[in-house]
Amino acid sequence: MSLRQAQETVDQWIKTYGVRYFSELTNMAILTEEVGEVARIMARRYGDQSNKNGESDALADELADVLWVLICLANQTGVDLSEAFRRNMAKKTARDSTRHINNPKLYESEQK
């Protein structure tokens, strides 16, 4: 599924089942909450914390929740994510084409 198709799918779902989009500010708060859930899973899976009893460890589902709300915000604000992502990749490529390749810090772990 392309980003454009994802945006259309979310919009159709909202129109069919969701009544309307939550306000942009509400969706921003929800996005923050969902990113926090991803952070919790990452801290427990890759960090030093352990899961609490009954706590979910569904990283894929939480990442999909982040994407869902991000798509809602894009739809609400008129952002074409396909075009925005294309421009963003071009910007990163122009700006960082040699930056990471020439960063010795990125090679330090290979030498340990």
Side-chain angles (χ1 to χ4, degrees), residues 1-13 64 67-68 71-72 75 80-82 85:
M1 179 182 294
S2 71
L3 288 170
R4 181 164 285 118
Q5 290 169 324
Q7 283 189 256
E8 292 168 0
T9 299
V10 168
D11 192 59
Q12 190 57 48
W13 189 95
L67 181 59
W68 169 271
I71 289 171
C72 285
N75 286 351
D80 177 339
L81 285 173
S82 294
F85 188 74

Side-chain angles (χ1 to χ4, degrees), residues 4-112:
R4 181 164 285 118
Q5 290 169 324
Q7 283 189 256
E8 292 168 0
T9 299
V10 168
D11 192 59
Q12 190 57 48
W13 189 95
I14 294 290
K15 291 174 179 172
T16 303
Y17 303 105
V19 180
R20 65 172 179 81
Y21 286 93
F22 296 139
S23 71
E24 295 86 349
L25 187 56
T26 296
N27 274 335
M28 186 63 230
I30 293 169
L31 179 61
T32 303
E33 177 185 357
E34 296 297 349
V35 169
E37 291 176 9
V38 169
R40 176 186 46 77
I41 290 170
M42 297 298 288
R44 280 147 175 76
R45 187 179 292 183
Y46 302 104
D48 299 323
Q49 290 188 328
S50 60
N51 282 327
K52 298 174 185 172
N53 286 334
E55 194 170 53
S56 173
D57 189 26
L59 180 59
D61 189 54
E62 294 303 337
L63 287 170
D65 285 344
V66 168
L67 181 59
W68 169 271
V69 182
L70 185 68
I71 289 171
C72 285
L73 283 166
N75 286 351
Q76 290 175 277
T77 58
V79 171
D80 177 339
L81 285 173
S82 294
E83 181 58 23
F85 188 74
R86 185 197 63 72
R87 285 192 318 265
N88 192 269
M89 288 300 298
K91 174 188 77 175
K92 283 176 175 38
T93 301
R95 181 189 66 203
D96 300 331
S97 63
T98 60
R99 176 176 165 221
H100 301 302
I101 292 170
N102 294 327
N103 181 353
K105 293 178 184 180
L106 296 177
Y107 298 99
E108 288 174 4
S109 64
E110 294 176 3
Q111 296 170 351
K112 290 181 183 181

